Amino acid sequence: MRAVVTGGAGFLGSHLCEALLEDGCSVVTIDNLITGNKENMGALLGLSEFEFIEGDICDGIDVEGDIDMIFHLASPASPNDYLNLPIETLKAGTVGTLNCLEFAQEKSSLFLLASTSEIYGDPLEHPQREEYWGNVNPIGVRSVYDEAKRVSESMAMAYHRERGVTVRIARIFNTYGPRMKRDDGRVVPNFIDQALHGQDLTVFGDGAQTRSFCFVSDLIDGLLKLARSGVEDPVNLGNPEEVRIVDLAKLILKMAGSNSGIKFEELPVDDPRTRRPDISKAEKLLGWQPNVDLNVGLEKTLAWFRGKLHRS
Ligand code: NAD
Ligand code: UDP
């Protein structure tokens, strides 16, 4: 099997490339390093079964030879990143997705889209099932990400219906773990970095908003199971264990043994108040469920951030 991974120098993409190689696939990754980092691919760069192409998927995709699977992950993903890179984010999720689908059609390859729970916006249904259509502000600052992912899903289904492309759509909920950037801006790396540097943890709003956090190894397992399944419509992948953000801050402070405090800052615009996946579809159709408990996953992530601190 030969796979293309767009965004393989990023957090999830680099773990996915590793897992595919372990499965015996050869992997070509395309990444323009806009939010990713070569370091994430580490030892993979020396492997004969791994090829890294530095390039922007919006400029077209040119890989010779047979391709069995395309995993489309290239897009800024942290709210910090996509708010700073609005046009690049829109282009990755529109022109970039279109190029990936054309490429998938040309190669008769499976296309897997890394979609997101953000397509549900600030949800009025809780927990979120795949049947829910969402509550997205189409002109708000977050829309560059949310709407680009929504149109990516639309494009995937159109190429499936009209051109016969085999598609998989993973609606990924908040995922965390080693290799997230220190300055990523997402809540887990932010809180860990602040705790390890003796800074107060910045809780936005009153911290009563909720998220459900999935450890990266569980998520990658879900992506691979989805790719191998015959499921053509969207599937939620995430951990249904829901926490309030202020409780997450307290937990990380305790686990890090940090003396930092908590400071409350303004809630970002359109920040969803709740988020928790209904994963019954993934359980039933993929035989998948997450196994890594939040405490265990946070310990692993903390250990990785501590190690990085010592190495730098
Ligand atoms: P990330 O920022 O670490 O990785 C994204 C990668 O895509 C980076 O390496 C970046 O350089 C690359 N990229 C961006 N635009 C590109 C372009 N035009 N051409 C080539 N490469 C480009 O983010 P991540 O957390 O690893 O997310 C990966 C994917 O998973 C994204 O599509 C994101 O929307 C999706 N996702 C992630 C989460 C999560 O919690 N991590 C949740 C939902 C969805
Ligand atoms: N958040 C926070 N402090 C931070 C970073 C994020 O309180 O330093 C909050 C943010 O407002 C949101 C939640 O944590 O309610 C998750 O934010 P993140 O950026 O990780 O991802 P999102 O789920 O919003 O895409």
Side-chain angles (χ1 to χ4, degrees):
M1 294 288 259
R2 189 159 177 251
V4 165
V5 176
T6 73
F11 160 53
L12 292 183
S14 61
H15 286 279
L16 176 63
C17 289
E18 250 172 37
L20 286 166
L21 288 160
E22 272 166 30
D23 253 17
C25 274
S26 67
V27 177
V28 180
T29 189
I30 307 167
D31 199 303
N32 63 356
L33 304 178
I34 194 169
T35 58
N37 193 326
K38 259 184 158 174
E39 214 182 286
N40 285 337
M41 296 180 287
L44 303 188
L45 288 168
L47 300 177
S48 58
E49 292 304 304
F50 183 74
E51 185 186 349
F52 168 56
I53 300 173
E54 186 169 341
D56 188 328
I57 52 156
C58 300
D59 297 337
I61 298 176
D62 186 16
V63 178
E64 283 183 6
D66 289 344
I67 297 293
D68 304 290
M69 302 183 282
I70 299 164
F71 293 84
H72 177 31
L73 278 71
S75 167
S78 152
N80 250 18
D81 286 338
Y82 63 71
L83 295 176
N84 287 328
L85 299 163
I87 309 296
E88 291 82 350
T89 304
L90 275 171
K91 284 176 79 175
T94 53
V95 181
T97 302
L98 203 63
N99 287 344
C100 289
L101 282 160
E102 287 284 332
F103 180 71
Q105 187 189 338
E106 178 197 322
K107 299 284 183 185
S108 302
S109 157
L110 176 144
F111 169 84
L112 185 146
L113 173 68
S115 186
T116 168
S117 52
E118 279 287 317
I119 66 109
Y120 300 121
D122 190 3
L124 304 176
E125 180 179 307
H126 194 73
Q128 292 79 54
R129 292 174 304 133
E130 288 86 350
E131 290 73 23
Y132 179 51
W133 290 354
N135 177 36
V136 172
N137 174 355
I139 56 162
V141 285
R142 290 176 86 105
S143 67
V144 294
Y145 182 68
D146 304 6
E147 296 291 13
K149 290 291 184 181
R150 287 172 68 96
V151 82
S152 287
E153 289 199 8
S154 170
M155 286 177 185
M157 292 313 291
Y159 271 74
H160 171 57
R161 293 186 190 112
E162 289 297 309
R163 308 269 178 95
V165 175
T166 304
V167 299
R168 306 282 183 264
I169 299 176
R171 289 191 181 150
I172 303 171
F173 284 63
N174 298 64
T175 302
Y176 69 99
R179 300 202 191 129
M180 292 186 99
K181 292 176 290 180
R182 254 201 84 181
D183 60 353
D184 181 283
R186 283 177 277 191
V187 68
V188 171
N190 249 23
F191 284 175
I192 289 181
D193 189 60
Q194 289 162 341
L196 295 183
H197 287 88
Q199 296 160 0
D200 287 347
L201 273 56
T202 50
V203 170
F204 300 158
D206 60 5
Q209 71 273 31
T210 66
R211 294 294 186 273
S212 308
F213 295 96
C214 186
F215 189 63
V216 60
S217 57
D218 278 335
L219 194 276
I220 299 300
D221 179 41
L223 287 181
L224 295 179
K225 286 203 162 99
L226 177 61
R228 290 188 204 110
S229 77
V231 186
E232 304 267 23
D233 13 273
V235 179
N236 288 339
L237 293 178
N239 190 320
E241 188 185 343
E242 185 178 5
V243 287
R244 296 190 321 154
I245 294 302
V246 69
D247 295 330
L248 177 75
K250 289 176 189 160
L251 179 62
I252 289 178
L253 283 177
K254 190 168 147 217
M255 290 176 88
S258 169
N259 294 323
S260 300
I262 290 178
K263 66 176 174 187
F264 291 89
E265 294 188 351
E266 204 177 322
L267 191 67
V269 179
D270 293 337
D271 196 282
R273 282 160 296 172
T274 55
R275 185 180 292 154
R276 176 175 152 215
D278 178 326
I279 59 162
S280 37
K281 192 167 172 185
E283 286 176 326
K284 188 167 155 219
L285 300 182
L286 313 181
W288 176 85
Q289 59 179 31
N291 295 315
V292 183
D293 164 84
L294 183 61
N295 286 275
V296 174
L298 284 176
E299 276 300 354
K300 290 184 185 198
T301 312
L302 258 166
W304 184 82
F305 271 89
R306 279 202 181 98
K308 201 164 165 55
L309 199 63
H310 290 134
R311 287 192 296 273
S312 61

